[in-house]
Amino acid sequence: MKMNKAVNMRPRASAARPVRANHVKTAVNRSASLPSTDRLVCQAAAVAVEAPPAVVAANPKDLTQRHAAVSKYFPGVLGVDDFIQRVEIALCGYGFTGRNSIACSNLCRDEITAVLKDKIEHSFGGSFNTNGLGGVLTCGVTGIGAGLSHSPICADSGRERYVFFSFPHIAIDSTGTLANISRPGRPGTSCACGALIKCMGELKADGVEKSCKVPGVHDPLDPEYSILKQRLARRIRWEQQDVNSMDLADITKAAERMITDDLEYLIEKAVDTNKADYAVVTGVQIHNWSTNFDDEVPNLELVWPTKVYTVVNGKTTYLDLTKIPSLTPRQLQLLAQASMGSAAEPSASAGIVSSVSATSTITEIPHDYMAHRLGAADVKGASVLDGKPAYSETIKAGDAPAADPAKPKMDSIDLNDMTQAFRSFSAAFSNPSFVETFNGSNGKA
Ligand SMILES: [Zn+2]
């Protein structure tokens, strides 16, 4: 299979949907055909029902085929090492390096996002993270601002520099199947992103409209997930998309647009461009792993870039990563190895496979590094069945701390809360300035 030639990385082309009046339909209730989405884990069946794989890489050992299969969903996708070296070159051209900037990374909480995090941090240093389920931003202006206050300050200009990275993620396995991933040390098929898959199932079953909420309302036992779902629902409603025709790639792209816009809104509130320059790098992280993590089929990590820009002295410049050439496989492997530390050194790194296409150099992520990084390098060890070491008895603490059942819980409401709520409610409706806001006089006579 030849590489897809038509790779135009026009930022956010898919976001510009034509607006059609009355396009939003109440979604047909299809809950009967969907499995339970109670758990935030693989719902492989849900994906299979909605999105049979349209593209299959016939030979999973052929990296070019696999790149082409992912490119059908994400045109312009790059190997993660190729991506990060291009970003480093692009940002350096505008004054941002790992030595003079603070990186802020926003990824999903899933441990498999660690590979991209390692690449970011190898190039741009330890990052302040604002991670949330599905990559949703819930840290707010204070959270973003906290990261910025840790930035190095340029000795010459006195200015600070921030680099924001933001990427929701998706798995597309080595055969080209959406959502599927095989995790180290865990038999069977798992899925990613679990949070976005759960959102997709519930939005299709309940309809988008029902899932839209007034900002500020969330489930106290599930704050992050409920905010992710309502932000996504409002985005899909605003874009006038039919959720029932969206597959996981479409949902992930919509989530990326929503999260990127939220990030830019928070930056607007938190960053003072009189004293700081910043860069924004966004897209989708794609795990293109073997259907069996431990077999000899290479595991690949890819990135679909959507926006790369810098704001220097208040001036915004959009950058095009496709105009920066790939490094050779040898060059990329040298850089990649440095980002993986000793875990990539074993003999396995000598047999790393690579492929060079018209658009990107793709290199395998070494199995040893990933198994080590994801905490499944030796799942047979340390079994309690083999007998505990003697110290395990002597290190036991005394009695367990006493529990007070009356302590406020995250979803409990007590009398004081009710009294306070009632006072606030009464005050709001007896406050003339509040009422005048509704009258349109904005508190002025
Ligand atoms: Zn996730």
Side-chain angles (χ1 to χ4, degrees):
M1 192 187 293
K2 275 245 168 197
M3 261 302 303
N4 182 4
K5 286 184 205 157
V7 178
N8 290 318
M9 209 191 68
R10 277 173 305 178
R12 316 180 62 71
S14 57
R17 285 212 150 214
V19 175
R20 285 169 287 166
N22 304 321
H23 177 71
V24 183
K25 295 175 201 154
T26 305
V28 181
N29 190 329
R30 299 169 67 175
S31 54
S33 64
L34 289 167
S36 161
T37 49
D38 290 346
R39 295 180 60 210
L40 205 157
V41 292
C42 174
Q43 303 291 347
V47 176
V49 166
E50 299 302 330
V55 189
V56 173
N59 177 8
K61 289 188 179 175
D62 183 331
L63 271 46
T64 305
Q65 269 191 26
R66 284 170 58 176
H67 186 219
V70 175
S71 296
K72 296 274 184 182
Y73 295 107
F74 295 96
V77 66
L78 301 171
V80 67
D81 290 298
D82 188 14
F83 164 76
I84 203 72
Q85 69 89 8
R86 294 187 203 213
V87 168
E88 192 173 338
I89 292 171
L91 297 193
C92 184
Y94 287 80
F96 298 84
T97 70
R99 295 179 178 181
N100 68 15
S101 314
I102 186 163
C104 298
S105 59
N106 183 57
L107 308 171
C108 181
R109 293 187 179 278
D110 193 327
E111 73 286 347
I112 59 178
T113 65
V115 178
L116 175 58
K117 178 183 156 73
D118 282 356
K119 304 296 180 190
I120 290 171
E121 297 195 336
H122 183 246
S123 296
F124 291 91
S127 64
F128 184 92
N129 90 69
T130 56
N131 294 2
L133 288 176
V136 71
L137 277 159
T138 56
C139 67
V141 180
T142 304
I144 292 274
L148 308 186
S149 67
H150 305 164
S151 164
I153 297 176
C154 178
D156 301 331
S157 64
R159 292 177 74 79
E160 299 178 351
R161 291 191 184 88
Y162 325 129
V163 182
F164 297 95
F165 292 92
S166 179
F167 297 86
H169 69 144
I170 185 173
I172 302 178
D173 73 16
S174 56
T175 67
T177 306
L178 280 177
N180 286 1
I181 193 159
S182 159
R183 292 177 191 255
R186 189 180 168 89
T189 302
S190 174
C191 288
C193 169
L196 290 176
I197 291 166
K198 184 168 155 73
C199 279
M200 181 171 78
E202 292 176 4
L203 293 179
K204 289 188 182 207
D206 301 337
V208 166
E209 193 62 41
K210 190 185 156 200
S211 303
C212 294
K213 305 279 184 230
V214 175
V217 175
H218 65 265
D219 177 346
L221 266 186
D222 235 343
E224 225 167 71
Y225 177 71
S226 58
I227 290 171
L228 170 69
K229 191 170 101 175
Q230 64 188 253
R231 292 293 297 126
L232 191 55
R234 290 178 70 205
R235 182 70 189 210
I236 291 169
R237 181 176 67 179
W238 178 76
E239 290 184 354
Q240 303 193 0
Q241 301 216 52
D242 175 8
V243 74
N244 284 313
S245 67
M246 296 172 82
D247 63 19
L248 187 63
D250 298 325
I251 291 283
T252 308
K253 288 176 183 174
E256 186 280 318
R257 293 190 290 272
M258 175 270 285
I259 292 165
T260 296
D261 284 352
D262 284 357
L263 174 67
E264 290 175 331
Y265 192 59
L266 289 175
I267 289 174
E268 201 182 299
K269 304 272 181 206
V271 172
D272 178 359
T273 52
N274 290 317
K275 68 167 199 179
D277 300 325
Y278 67 93
V280 174
V281 183
T282 62
V284 175
Q285 177 182 11
I286 300 161
H287 316 284
N288 183 240
W289 296 7
S290 171
T291 51
N292 175 0
F293 182 84
D294 290 315
D295 69 13
E296 71 284 4
V297 173
N299 297 309
L300 307 178
E301 284 277 298
L302 307 167
V303 172
W304 184 61
T306 52
K307 275 188 175 178
V308 182
Y309 63 89
T310 60
V311 179
V312 176
N313 294 320
K315 183 174 182 292
T316 305
T317 309
Y318 282 86
L319 306 173
D320 182 350
L321 296 184
T322 65
K323 292 182 176 167
I324 297 170
S326 296
L327 297 181
T328 67
R330 186 192 68 83
Q331 291 169 324
L332 264 195
Q333 280 171 25
L334 282 173
L335 284 176
Q337 205 160 329
S339 76
M340 294 182 284
S342 59
E345 280 168 14
S347 54
S349 60
I352 296 301
V353 295
S354 300
S355 107
V356 179
S357 74
T359 52
S360 185
T361 300
I362 311 284
T363 58
E364 176 185 5
I365 308 291
H367 175 276
D368 286 0
Y369 155 74
M370 286 174 77
H372 172 81
R373 190 68 177 81
L374 303 176
D378 180 16
V379 293
K380 289 196 278 295
S383 167
V384 289
L385 298 176
D386 301 336
K388 290 186 278 188
Y391 70 79
S392 62
E393 287 300 319
T394 59
I395 59 173
K396 283 184 177 171
D399 295 337
D404 181 351
K407 272 188 284 194
K409 297 181 181 62
M410 56 179 71
D411 61 342
S412 66
I413 298 172
D414 64 28
L415 192 59
N416 290 330
D417 296 327
M418 293 301 291
T419 309
Q420 186 59 39
F422 183 72
R423 282 196 190 122
S424 307
F425 185 78
S426 310
F429 282 94
S430 60
N431 182 333
S433 66
F434 180 88
V435 175
E436 281 163 16
T437 304
F438 276 89
N439 291 336
S441 57
N442 205 18
K444 296 183 185 109

